[in-house]
Amino acid sequence: MNIQWYPGHMTKAKRAMKEDIKLIDLIIELVDARVPLASRNPDIDELGRGKARLILLNKSDLASEKVNELWTAWFRSKGYFVVKINSRTGAGLKQINGVIQEACREKIERDRRRGILNRPIRAMVVGIPNVGKSTFINSFAGKACTKTGNKPGVTKGNQWIRLNKNVELLDTPGILWPKFEDQQVGLLLAFIGSINDEILNRDELALELLKFLRAHYADALKERYQADSDDALELLGQIARVRGCLMKGGEADYSKAAKLLIDDFRSGKLGRITLEFPPAE
């Protein structure tokens, strides 16, 4: 599968981020814990050079806890602050304020030496589409979510949110990058729903997902669908029959089974599954 998706509005959003970065003390980057590297926009490292960095491993409840720990250690070894969260339930969010203060300690000390007290930390929240950014901001801000419009950055798609007297967030649109050099990255993003499903062949996508699951999580397929085969197409047919995805005459409806499999994976019904592992150094 050749996967590319870069709508025009993303170019505009990236331009706005380049302008706003001058106002920022900290970049809070949300990644999907199931694919932590694939769900990182490589442009962010260039944009955020010299800024404090916090990585939030979102949807960590859908990923293997053992591998979550490996990713946390890997990112910390690269100099990032890291917190595992589930923005839907609020798990892990209470740690974030303390980590923000720690990440920006140098900035706070610098302000204090200059006699600047109580200036809030300004953090830009970034992430690719469908990584849970909006859910995170709503959960983190709660009822304190207010728009502050008297500074640059309040443009369509960008919104300043005052969390408390210590922290202001700049919400930004989810953006990808113009070309996936490695098609495996595009495939992983398609699995988690960060690529528009309408441009994908979901039948092919399901077969690719089954190949990975068969290699790494065969027990999950057996438990959920009583399915086991070395052949991905045969596996999909078994899933179709077990789950009643049938056409007239009792033939397997592969397209219906493909949609069911992808939805089951994305919603966590197959269990806690990580699709990407930390690189061996």
Side-chain angles (χ1 to χ4, degrees):
M1 288 182 76
N2 184 35
I3 297 169
Q4 298 294 342
W5 185 54
Y6 191 69
H9 74 270
M10 291 188 181
T11 304
K12 184 180 174 186
K14 185 180 171 185
R15 261 199 313 269
M17 285 171 69
K18 277 185 178 175
E19 283 300 308
D20 294 332
I21 204 79
K22 305 166 198 165
L23 311 168
I24 298 304
D25 306 305
L26 169 71
I27 293 177
I28 299 175
E29 182 180 2
L30 270 82
V31 301
D32 189 307
R34 296 167 294 180
V35 289
L37 270 191
S39 59
R40 292 194 70 213
N41 185 334
D43 293 341
I44 299 302
D45 281 339
E46 183 63 33
L47 279 171
R49 190 165 286 168
K51 304 291 181 180
R53 303 292 297 276
L54 168 57
I55 296 232
L56 300 182
L57 285 170
N58 194 27
K59 306 187 183 182
S60 58
D61 58 308
L62 299 178
S64 157
E65 182 55 26
K66 181 181 175 184
V67 188
N68 285 343
E69 291 299 328
L70 293 176
W71 276 114
T72 298
W74 188 84
F75 279 119
R76 283 180 179 154
S77 76
K78 303 294 178 191
Y80 298 96
F81 290 84
V82 188
V83 180
K84 291 179 297 179
I85 67 166
N86 174 357
S87 57
R88 205 166 25 82
T89 64
L93 296 189
K94 286 181 181 174
Q95 299 176 51
I96 294 175
N97 269 317
V99 177
I100 287 174
Q101 298 298 314
E102 177 67 20
C104 295
R105 183 185 287 173
E106 283 184 23
K107 175 259 175 196
I108 294 166
E109 289 298 324
R110 200 164 55 242
D111 280 356
R112 191 170 290 142
R113 286 195 300 271
R114 292 172 178 166
I116 303 168
L117 302 177
N118 303 322
R119 184 172 87 76
I121 291 164
R122 290 176 179 165
M124 178 184 279
V125 182
V126 300
I128 66 168
N130 205 37
V131 82
K133 204 159 47 65
S134 297
T135 308
F136 159 69
I137 287 171
N138 290 337
S139 299
F140 193 40
K143 291 182 181 177
C145 179
T146 56
K147 193 169 182 176
T148 56
N150 61 345
K151 61 170 72 73
V154 185
T155 59
K156 189 176 179 184
N158 285 24
Q159 180 185 351
W160 282 99
I161 297 157
R162 182 182 283 276
L163 286 186
N164 51 50
K165 64 179 185 185
N166 296 319
V167 181
E168 290 181 0
L169 296 182
L170 177 60
D171 183 17
T172 62
I175 58 168
L176 291 167
W177 52 107
K179 187 178 181 188
F180 302 132
E181 299 297 340
D182 180 356
Q183 274 299 301
Q184 182 66 16
V185 169
L187 192 61
L188 292 174
L189 295 184
F191 288 154
I192 65 168
S194 289
I195 307 289
N196 186 347
D197 280 334
E198 291 177 11
I199 71 160
L200 299 171
N201 182 324
R202 285 171 74 100
D203 293 8
E204 281 186 39
L205 191 64
L207 292 175
E208 293 293 337
L209 180 58
L210 279 173
K211 287 174 191 173
F212 180 89
L213 294 174
R214 179 70 186 80
H216 299 280
Y217 294 94
D219 288 348
L221 293 173
K222 288 176 191 171
E223 189 174 327
R224 179 78 179 162
Y225 307 117
Q226 297 81 57
D228 187 21
S229 170
D230 290 332
D231 181 76
L233 190 61
E234 171 59 25
L235 266 176
L236 193 58
Q238 290 177 19
I239 291 168
R241 285 182 278 277
V242 167
R243 299 308 299 272
C245 301
L246 304 172
M247 297 189 284
K248 284 182 180 176
E251 285 185 40
D253 187 334
Y254 288 95
S255 293
K256 194 172 179 183
K259 183 179 184 307
L260 180 137
L261 171 73
I262 292 166
D263 290 346
D264 278 1
F265 162 69
R266 288 178 182 171
S267 63
K269 289 176 183 169
L270 288 174
R272 300 181 67 163
I273 289 172
T274 299
L275 300 176
E276 194 177 37
F277 306 95
E281 299 299 339

